[in-house]
Structure formats: C-alpha cells, structure tokens
C-alpha cells in the first residue's frame, strides 16, 4: 500500500511542474517588503491580469481577500513562505472555477458561515501542502472530478474538513485532518470511484454516504468519538488496511442498505476510555452481501456485531480478542469462517431465528468464558437450520451453551472426502472439543461416540484432533 501511495504522490507532483512554454510568472507581495519588484499587492489582481497557463508566486504576508481562480493557473507560495489568505468571515476564501489549477503553500482561513476555505467547482485541479483552518468547511468539491487533494493540514474547521459531493475519480491522499472541530473528517456524498488513502485523522471520521466504488485505503483514524469509518447506504466500496486506534464508539459501520462492500485487513482497537457499548465492526439493517475479512479487532464491547437481520454476508479470517462479545451474530444465509476468537467473554453469541441457514465453520474459538453461546428468544420456535462444524473449541470455561431446542442445527459437515494422518476417508466431520473423552477406534479422526452439547444438541461426529489436521478434498 505504501508503494501505491508513493506512486500516486509522484504522479501528482509531476503534474504540478508541467507548464506552457509561453507562460508568464507573476509575483504578488502584500507590502512589497519581501519582493519589492512584485507585480501586484493583491492575489486577485494578479489572477485578473494573468492568462491561462501562467504562474502566480505569492510572497509572505496576509492577504485579506476572497480569491476566485477562474483561469487555469498555478497559484503557489514563494519558496518557504506561508502566505495567509484571510476571507474576513465573508463567503468562500478561495473558489476554483477553472479546470487544471494548482493551489499550493497557503494558509486559508476565516470563511463566512456556511462557506468554505477552498471551494472546487471544476476538474483536474491540485490542492497541495496548504493549511486550511478556521473555516466553516475546509475543502468542498462540488460535482468535481479528477482532482488531487494532497498533503494538506486541515483542522479546526467547524463542519466537514473535506466534503466531496457528486464527485468522481478524485484522489485524497496524505492529508492531516482533525484536531477538534469538524462534523466529519472526509465526507463523500453521492460520489463514486474516489481514492481516500494514507490520510491521518484525529477526533474525526471518514463517511461514505450513498456512494459507490470508492477505495478507503491505508488511513489512520485516532480517538474518534463517533464512527471512525462509516459506510452508509453505499455499495461496492473497499475499506482496506486502515488503522483505527483508541476508538471511543465504533470502528467501522456497514450501515443500513449498504451492500457488496469489502472490509479487509484493518487494525481496529478500542480506547480504554470508551464507555457504553463500543463496537469494532457493525452491520446495519439490510446490509447484505458484504465481506469482512482479515481484520484484527480488540478490546471492544462487541468485536463484530453482525445483526440487523442482514443476509449473505461473509465474516472470514478475522482475529477478535479481548471483547465482551467476540462476534454477536444475528443474520441469515451468512458465513462465519476461519476466524480466531480468543479471550472474550462470549466467543460467538449466536441468535438463531426463522430458517436462518448460516454456516459457522472452521473457527478457532479459544480461551473464552463461553466459546459458543446460542440464545433463542423465548417467543421464537422457528427452525434455524444452521451448520456448525470444523470449529476448534479449546480452553474455554464453557465450550458451548444453548437453550435452542428448536434449532435443527447441523453439528457436522455433509459427507465429504478428507485426508487424515495421510489416509483418505469419506464421512462427516463435526467439531473439535478439547474436553471430548471418547475414542477413535478405526483411526478415521472421528470419535465413535457423540459429544453431548446439551439436552437438545449432539455433535455425532466429534473430531479427535483440531480441524487443521483434516484436509477436505474437493
């Protein structure tokens, strides 16, 4: 991921230095002290005089004006100067209406209420290494595409720090965002195919609303009091390799009607100061066909809260540790497979209901107070028809608790071909229970007597070794 971000940065920087052979360079100095031969003392006056393709170099000072870039120009700070553009509390501070502009090296501050530090209303622009602070909104991309927002410091804005509305193919990378203020760190609304990568956010979040095919990759979100990364009514997005530290509420939410999203290889850790019921990853209502894979989740009340009656989701190869509820599972036609669930109060807390047909397969359920806790509400009598097999139950205080007399669960696999101790067999495979006391007389890896789970449930094909010792043949 680091290589991808560096490549994008290199491409972006290369685009900054492309000029036109006949382009002119203009200088602006507010008091003519830093550059006495400056052409103008006002940025807007220089823009008005310039031609498309020109460069405007702005020297140190505070420029009390509202700038409109309506031509394709390069507006850059001189050397190590840090000129300030102060909007005076009125309107947008900088508005970019032309395509192909560069804004670099400025402090942009003091927009009007309801207005923006940098408003982008055009395409193919670059906003690079600015400080954008003390505005109503930081950067607003309004139906703008193919822009690069790179390496800016965006903080203490009263509403969204970066707000993308109706935008596509924008790249938002390596920005530092947050430190108080801001309803959202980065908010994409009705937007698609944007890349949000390598940003550092403190106390603010990333939100995708009614957006699709976006990639949220390699960001770090710290000390967020709300949902660190929110996917809301959005589909076909990828949230990958992000680091969420000291989360005070929720790590990642796949909210209502969000489908076909990938949440993969994220590091998600709760704050020791969190109160209430913080959750690592949560599913909303009708959040279907999502894949949650390879995430490391620790120290939450709910590690993964897979509720809402959603369906056809896959929760695969995650590590969920030191939570009250490792995985709280209330879904249909979904799979919980290959997860490492360790050191929780409830490893998997499963609530079956009407004909759910879920599969809980090949999980390592280790050192929990309850490995698997099946709780059927007293008013439910419908069959669950769920499959639970090839799981390892090891060192739990209580491997399984169930009050489910109506479930009709399958505690073993269908008939399969498998290899055990170098020999091929055909049969059904149950689960490995570390307290199973039966014997394997014929050497096929399956105990001769069943494992009594409770008065209503029996694993008829208990494994005599952990499931990794059995290779299923296709």
């Amino acid at each position: 991921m680091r290589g991808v971000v560096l490549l994008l940065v290199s491409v972006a920087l290369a685009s900054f230095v492309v000029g036109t052979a006949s382009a002119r360079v203009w200088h602006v100095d507010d008091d003519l002290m830093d550059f006495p031969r400056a052409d103008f003392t006002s940025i807007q006056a220089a823009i008005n005089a310039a031609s498309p393709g020109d460069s405007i170099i702005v020297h140190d000072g505070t420029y009390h004006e509202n700038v409109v870039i309506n031509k394709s120009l390069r507006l850059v700070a001189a050397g190590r100067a840090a000129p300030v553009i102060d909007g005076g509390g009125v309107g947008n501070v900088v508005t970019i209406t032309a395509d192909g502009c560069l804004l670099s090296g400025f402090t942009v501050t003091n927009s009007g209420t309801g207005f923006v530090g940098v408003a982008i209303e055009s395409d193919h622009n670059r906003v690079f290494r600015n400080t954008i602070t003390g505005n109503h909104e930081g950067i607003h991309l309004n139906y703008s595409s193919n822009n690069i927002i790179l390496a800016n410091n965006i903080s203490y804005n009263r509403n969204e720090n970066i707000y993308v509305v109706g935008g596509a193919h924008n790249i938002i990378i390596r920005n530092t965002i947050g430190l108080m203020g801001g309803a959202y760190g980065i908010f994409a609304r009705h937007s698609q195919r944007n890349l949000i990568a390598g940003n550092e956010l403190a106390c603010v979040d990333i939100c995708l609303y009614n957006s699709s095919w976006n990639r949220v990759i390699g960001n770090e979100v710290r000390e967020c009091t709300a949902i660190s990364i929110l996917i809301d009514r959005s589909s076909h997005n990828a949230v990958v390799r992000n680091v969420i530290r000291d989360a005070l509420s929720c790590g990642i939410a796949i909210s209502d009607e969000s489908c076909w999203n990938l949440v993969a290889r994220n590091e998600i850790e709760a704050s020791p100061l969190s109160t209430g019921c913080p959750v690592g990853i949560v599913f909303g209502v009708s959040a279907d066909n999502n894949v949650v894979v390879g995430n490391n989740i620790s120290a939450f009340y709910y590690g993964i809260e897979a509720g809402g009656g959603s369906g056809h989701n896959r929760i695969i190869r995650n590590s969920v540790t030191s939570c009250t509820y490792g995985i709280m599972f209330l879904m249909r036609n979904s799979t919980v497979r290959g997860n490492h669930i360790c050191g929780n109060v409830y490893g998997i807390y499963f609530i079956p209901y009407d004909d759910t047909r879920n599969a809980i397969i090949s999980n390592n359920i280790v050192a929990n107070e309850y490995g698997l806790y099946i709780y059927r509400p007293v008013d439910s009598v419908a069959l669950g028809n769920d499959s639970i097999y090839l799981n390892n139950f090891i060192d739990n205080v209580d491997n399984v608790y169930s009050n489910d007399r109506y479930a009709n669960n399958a505690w073993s696999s269908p008939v399969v071909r498998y290899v055990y101790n170098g020999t091929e067999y055909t049969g059904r495979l149950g689960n490995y229970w570390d307290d199973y006391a039966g014997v394997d007389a014929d050497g096929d890896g399956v105990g001769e007597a069943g494992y009594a789970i409770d008065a209503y449930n029996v694993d008829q094909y208990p494994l005599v070794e952990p499931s990794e010792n059995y290779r299923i043949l296709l």
Side-chain angles (χ1 to χ4, degrees):
M1 178 57 219
R2 181 176 176 82
V4 173
V5 173
L6 287 173
L7 176 61
L8 290 169
V9 171
S10 299
V11 171
L13 289 174
S15 68
F16 295 157
V17 298
V18 174
T20 305
S22 59
R24 180 172 176 179
V25 177
W26 305 84
H27 287 266
V28 179
D29 188 352
D30 66 330
D31 56 11
L32 301 179
M33 297 294 292
D34 297 288
F35 197 81
R37 294 181 290 107
D39 302 289
F40 298 97
T41 58
S42 160
I43 296 171
Q44 192 63 54
I47 292 170
N48 294 341
S51 298
D54 287 357
S55 296
I56 298 172
I57 297 176
V58 181
H59 296 265
D60 252 338
T62 298
Y63 296 83
H64 296 278
E65 51 186 309
N66 302 90
V67 173
V68 178
I69 307 175
N70 53 11
K71 304 165 188 175
S72 180
L73 299 171
R74 299 174 73 250
L75 185 63
V76 298
R80 296 186 177 181
V84 176
I85 307 176
D86 186 329
V90 178
N92 298 328
V93 183
V94 177
T95 304
I96 303 174
T97 61
D99 294 343
C101 297
L102 166 64
L103 178 72
S104 179
F106 294 89
T107 294
V108 179
T109 190
N110 201 13
S111 75
T113 299
F115 291 89
V116 185
V118 178
I120 302 174
E121 300 173 358
S122 51
D123 303 329
H124 298 283
N125 299 292
R126 313 290 184 263
V127 177
F128 171 57
R129 282 188 181 166
N130 301 282
T131 296
I132 301 170
T133 185
N135 304 285
H136 185 83
E137 280 183 29
I139 298 176
H140 186 120
L141 291 86
N142 190 38
Y143 292 91
S144 299
S145 299
N146 296 290
N147 299 286
I148 295 177
I149 311 299
L150 168 63
N152 300 282
N153 190 327
I154 307 169
S155 60
Y156 296 100
N157 300 291
R158 295 185 294 280
N159 214 307
E160 289 81 5
N161 285 285
I162 298 178
Y163 192 13
V164 184
V165 180
H169 301 286
N170 296 292
I171 298 174
I172 301 170
I173 52 175
R174 292 284 180 91
N175 300 283
T176 301
I177 303 169
L179 298 176
M180 305 300 292
Y184 297 98
I186 301 172
F187 188 6
R189 182 185 184 99
H190 304 300
S191 297
Q192 59 182 340
R193 300 188 186 279
N194 300 287
L195 172 64
I196 301 170
N199 301 285
E200 296 184 5
L201 298 92
C203 308
V204 290
D205 61 359
I206 298 171
C207 176
L208 305 176
Y209 178 78
N210 223 334
S211 296
S212 60
W213 301 105
N214 298 285
R215 291 171 292 159
V216 179
I217 304 176
N219 302 281
E220 180 176 342
V221 184
R222 294 179 288 109
E223 300 176 29
C224 184
T225 58
I227 300 169
S228 298
I229 300 177
L230 171 61
I231 306 168
D232 190 4
R233 290 172 171 81
S234 297
S235 299
H236 298 285
N237 300 286
V239 177
V240 179
R241 291 186 180 176
N242 300 283
V243 175
I244 298 172
R245 298 288 188 220
D246 294 324
L248 291 160
S249 176
C250 176
I252 298 174
I254 307 170
S255 194
D256 298 353
E257 300 176 19
S258 293
C259 304
W260 301 103
N261 297 288
L262 171 66
V263 176
R265 302 180 68 180
N266 301 284
E267 300 284 335
I268 310 171
E269 182 180 277
S271 168
L273 302 178
S274 61
T275 58
C277 301
V279 57
I281 297 175
V282 62
F283 290 77
V285 176
S286 299
D288 300 334
N289 294 292
N290 299 285
V291 177
V292 173
V293 57
N295 301 282
N296 292 325
I297 304 165
S298 64
F300 286 90
Y301 189 78
Y302 295 105
I304 298 176
E305 185 179 1
S310 300
H312 302 280
N313 294 292
R314 288 181 288 165
I315 300 170
I316 308 170
R317 297 194 304 277
N318 301 282
S319 174
V320 185
T321 60
S322 303
C323 299
T324 302
Y325 294 83
I327 299 177
M328 198 285 286
F329 191 60
L330 172 60
M331 284 189 170
R332 53 185 169 75
N333 298 299
S334 295
T335 300
V336 177
R337 183 174 193 136
N339 300 282
H340 178 70
I341 305 165
C342 179
N344 308 285
V345 177
Y346 301 93
I348 298 177
Y349 191 98
F350 178 42
I351 305 174
Y353 67 109
D354 323 354
D355 200 23
T356 43
R357 297 185 183 274
N358 296 294
I360 300 174
I361 304 172
S362 298
N363 299 284
N364 285 320
I365 304 171
V366 180
N368 306 281
E369 288 193 30
Y370 293 94
L372 174 62
Y373 193 103
I374 302 175
Y375 176 75
R376 176 179 292 277
V378 294
D379 58 349
S380 172
V381 296
L383 297 178
N385 293 310
D386 301 292
S387 298
I388 305 167
Y389 58 87
L390 290 174
N391 301 286
N392 296 324
F393 292 87
I394 300 172
D395 290 336
N396 301 290
V397 175
D398 193 342
N399 278 329
V400 62
Y401 167 84
S402 174
N403 74 338
D404 193 2
R405 62 186 301 175
Y406 303 107
N408 195 35
N409 292 322
W411 290 91
S412 60
S413 71
V415 175
V416 295
R417 292 168 51 233
Y418 66 96
V419 174
Y420 173 72
N421 278 346
T423 301
E424 182 178 325
Y425 299 93
T426 299
R428 300 179 187 273
L429 298 174
N431 301 275
Y432 174 70
W433 311 91
D434 66 348
D435 57 349
Y436 177 64
V439 296
D440 174 19
D442 55 7
D444 64 354
V446 178
E448 305 307 322
Y451 178 89
I453 294 164
D454 59 20
Y456 314 110
N457 295 274
V458 177
D459 183 347
Q460 300 285 5
Y461 303 91
L463 308 181
V464 296
E465 292 191 62
S467 61
E468 56 266 26
N469 294 286
Y470 302 75
R471 180 163 60 91
I472 309 298
L473 301 175
L474 298 178

